[in-house]
Amino acid sequence: MRNITLVTGREYTSRVQKKSFIVMTLLGPLLLAAFYGAIIWLAVSDTQNDEKHEILVLDESGVFSEGITPHGNLHFSVNPDDTSAESYYGTLMIPANFSIDQPLGARYISSESLNIVEQSSMENQL
């Protein structure tokens, strides 16, 4: 038993005394914090876009026939006369079986994805 304690103690001190162990012990948490900080910075910088996004809403259910209130930089055009998708940022398709009680089946189609704030805003509007 004494030999196991001696070997374990020697291995521990030889590993701890290495420069690489000391450097990674100090840099590991800093690198981890920098990684998460970069993710948060990218998410926040993506939400600071002030560009207005016009969304085409094709409402087959008629629930939104009176329109959807604009929120933030999202503006909605419900069943307009001109439905050429090229002039819109994206298309929100509301199926005929959509209701306030069962808000399922709505699809958003776009060449670019919405950021987290815009997606949450659209979900709240529906």
Side-chain angles (χ1 to χ4, degrees):
M1 183 71 173
R2 185 173 187 280
N3 291 339
I4 293 174
T5 307
L6 289 174
V7 171
T8 305
R10 183 188 172 287
E11 287 296 320
Y12 177 75
T13 55
S14 68
R15 303 273 185 221
V16 170
Q17 290 176 351
K18 287 186 178 181
K19 288 182 183 179
S20 62
F21 179 83
I22 295 169
V23 169
M24 286 311 295
T25 300
L26 298 175
L27 284 181
L30 293 175
L31 291 173
L32 190 63
F35 178 71
Y36 281 112
I39 291 173
I40 292 170
W41 178 75
L42 287 172
V44 169
S45 68
D46 191 32
T47 61
Q48 295 177 347
N49 187 1
D50 293 334
E51 184 180 337
K52 175 183 164 185
H53 299 307
E54 190 71 30
I55 307 294
L56 170 65
V57 180
L58 300 176
D59 184 16
E60 296 175 358
S61 68
V63 173
F64 301 106
S65 59
E66 295 181 18
I68 302 175
T69 308
H71 187 266
N73 58 350
L74 293 179
H75 299 272
F76 302 93
S77 296
V78 180
N79 296 332
D81 296 333
D82 178 27
T83 59
S84 61
E86 293 84 27
S87 59
Y88 294 97
Y89 186 77
T91 303
L92 179 61
M93 300 176 75
I94 310 292
N97 61 351
F98 185 90
S99 69
I100 298 299
D101 298 330
Q102 293 291 328
L104 301 173
R107 293 185 343 184
Y108 177 72
I109 301 169
S110 177
S111 60
E112 298 180 33
S113 63
L114 296 172
N115 63 40
I116 295 170
V117 174
E118 293 170 337
Q119 183 177 356
S120 174
S121 173
M122 184 180 292
E123 288 174 358
N124 289 336
Q125 294 294 54
L126 295 179

